Amino acid sequence: MNRLQHETSPYLLQHAANPVDWYPWGTEALERARAEDRPILLSIGYAACHWCHVMEHESFENEATAALMNELFVNIKVDREERPDIDSIYMQAVQAMTGHGGWPMTMFLTPSGEPFYGGTYFPPTDRHGLPAFARVLRAVADAYRSDDGAVANTVERLREMYRAGSSASGTGTPLTRETLERATAGLERQYDQRNHGFGGAPKFPPTMALDFLLRNWARTGDERSLDMVRGTFDAMTRGGTYDQVAGGLHRYSVDAQWLVPHFEKMLYDNALLARLGVHLWQATHDDGVRRVTEQTFGWLLREMTSPEGGFYSSLDADSEGHEGKFYVWSDDELNSILGDDAQLVKRLWGVTPGGNFEGSNILHHPVPLSTVAAELNISVPDALQLLSMAAERLYGHRSRRVWPARDDKVLAGWNGLMLRALAEGARAFDDEVLYAAAVRNGEFLRAQLVDDGQVYRSYKDGKRLSVGFLEDHAAVALAFLELYATSADSEWLLHARRINTRVIERFYDAERGQFFDTPTDHEALITRPRDVTDNALPAGHSLAIELQQRLGVIDDDAVLRDIASRQLEKLHDAMAIHPTAFGHLLGVADMVVFGEVELAVIGRTADDARRLLNEVSSVYAPSLVVVSTTIEPIHETALTRGRDAGAGSARGYVCRRYVCESPSDDAQVLTEQLLRAGKGSTS
């Protein structure tokens, strides 16, 4: 067993028995590299990463390869989920060197930690245009020892890249509607008309860009925007990228048709899918959208929730050494399990004797359910009932298989994303189970991962680990704001404010006017990371900007709103030119350009406030800021000050930029007001 045996990360523990002399990231490894003037081999991955497992089996478990690594390098293994700062720094480098990134990431560093060569997966032998890993190891070590200037030149070029990234960016151009119109047009140009989503294979779930397009539809009535949202949501969730048996979205599709996924399931992907699903259902009242969204929440509560109420990080792609084995089915299996229903169910799920994945079947809906139901001469409700019963039987059978490994660490930022979706879903669906789960998760985060506004990164085995990053603080604070709105419990608002105080004090550089991903007192790295793009999940940068804007509206705080506006103005052109890289930030820009829809609900009791709020939450209003409270105390926000519950049990106020419609205790009246406000008008 190597040094990783003492770590808590499931990913690092997976490598604890490798013959590689692995170090975790830390002073011991860095000091050894400097003392021996030895280059560092840095390997970054995560527990659910399929190709990380492949490279481990092929190279890190191989005695000869491990001996070569140990002879030539100081070897460091990093869990990118525990250390997104390190991952971000070196991902920039590998992308600059190779034009692409991904995991496993394989980086070669000087003893001072500066990158000079890198890539992602390397095979054990030359194949598919990739050099053999052992050959790479020898060539990199030789290049470092030769001291011919090539390493120094690469290091200097990357230093300049990091300097540029840390400097103030953008020209501060004011945001206008034209910025958002250009971004929308860019998304339309990249849209895959045939298969939906953006671009070709591989396809990642573009949930944040879709949420921005939904806002555009609500404001303008542009049916093209709604078609892109509905088409992509439907394609993803009818395809093999969505688990038709248990719910939950797999990481991404390796093809353009959303059929064959990489089978890992990540908490953050499903948080973003569920929140989009809530919004899309509010906009369309499509039963299929609601069914998928509720099924995803069901998967979360059944398979991904700890006894304490925290949400686990991921499920592996592999089981029994094979990717996807847990999730696929043979034709004979389905005949045996489903009996008389098998033929109908197989038609509905596109099952064939030859299969669609290595001789087995990934369940999917190759054509809309209504089309197949008509061909089979059954009603859509009957088809759904048949599929529901079949899924229950298949789930029972699948549960007896060898399960994929679960990464059971609880990450603050990812939990914040899911808590936000849960709180909104509880309101929209008027669902007490979701509400209870949201409150329980919030209480867990407050007790275990938040201390006087400081958010910690992760929790596992009764311990919280390391101070959190910008994404952790901002995501948890935004989730607490949503929980405050849903519960009418002002304690959540107070916690969100405390966290934001930490955000400004420790992550915001007032002199440069920009956020950084690490706090001011963080470990010194080769650069202070600052990633402004929304990739697989929203950047801490864009979450922090949204937090300033939302709290600025709730408390009528011009300073916070000004911070948000200035940050957005610096990325004015980038958002318009590269909209898929700024999906979440575009939603915040929409909020700033058009103004929020503000909803304040005042109840005599918290239950009264929740009852009225749930009744009006079945409609979609873009950039909605909700506050909900009781008559005692009431003067806690700019949106509730001077307002009361009226003569009834609760009353609502719909406003835009603090200009309000007539208050009402009638849910139908408030619903109509919200719809008008979402289009940019009040009467």
Side-chain angles (χ1 to χ4, degrees), residues 565-630:
S565 294
R566 288 180 182 275
Q567 295 287 306
L568 288 164
E569 288 169 359
K570 292 177 181 180
L571 292 167
H572 170 278
D573 289 331
M575 284 189 289
I577 297 169
H578 306 289
T580 55
F582 294 95
H584 188 84
L585 195 63
L586 281 166
V588 186
D590 176 281
M591 182 184 298
V592 170
V593 169
F594 290 102
E596 304 77 9
V597 177
E598 302 148 1
L599 172 63
V601 176
I602 318 296
R604 296 196 175 279
T605 68
D607 285 344
D608 292 333
R610 286 188 55 225
R611 191 176 301 112
L612 180 59
L613 179 58
N614 290 359
E615 287 177 1
V616 304
S617 292
S618 63
V619 297
Y620 179 67
S623 302
L624 181 64
V625 176
V626 180
V627 295
S628 177
T629 189
T630 57

Side-chain angles (χ1 to χ4, degrees), residues 298-372:
W299 164 78
L300 168 78
L301 302 181
R302 184 175 56 251
E303 296 184 18
M304 300 296 288
T305 302
S306 76
E308 299 165 280
F311 301 138
Y312 298 133
S313 295
S314 64
L315 290 175
D316 209 324
D318 298 12
S319 58
E320 301 183 81
H322 297 280
E323 185 183 12
K325 184 173 182 179
F326 184 72
Y327 296 102
V328 299
W329 306 87
S330 72
D331 186 66
D332 288 342
E333 269 186 310
L334 294 178
N335 290 335
S336 174
I337 297 166
L338 300 177
D340 293 342
D341 294 331
Q343 294 308 310
L344 286 176
V345 170
K346 289 192 298 181
R347 284 285 303 280
L348 292 166
W349 268 330
V351 173
T352 63
N356 53 29
F357 178 72
E358 299 177 354
S360 295
N361 287 275
I362 300 169
L363 303 184
H364 71 301
H365 296 290
V367 294
L369 189 63
S370 58
T371 302
V372 183

Side-chain angles (χ1 to χ4, degrees), residues 218-235:
R219 295 198 192 285
T220 66
D222 176 16
E223 290 297 324
R224 174 69 177 144
S225 290
L226 182 60
D227 288 345
M228 287 189 283
V229 179
R230 295 183 74 158
T232 306
F233 188 93
D234 189 47

Side-chain angles (χ1 to χ4, degrees), residues 29-45:
L30 299 174
E31 287 174 358
R32 180 186 172 192
R34 285 191 288 268
E36 299 179 6
D37 189 23
R38 188 185 294 213
I40 294 167
L41 190 161
L42 174 65
S43 176
I44 302 178

Side-chain angles (χ1 to χ4, degrees), residues 41 65 68-69 72-73 108 133-141:
L41 190 161
T65 303
L68 192 61
M69 293 170 65
L72 299 176
F73 300 95
F108 296 92
F133 188 47
R135 189 153 67 87
V136 170
L137 295 174
R138 292 188 182 94
V140 170

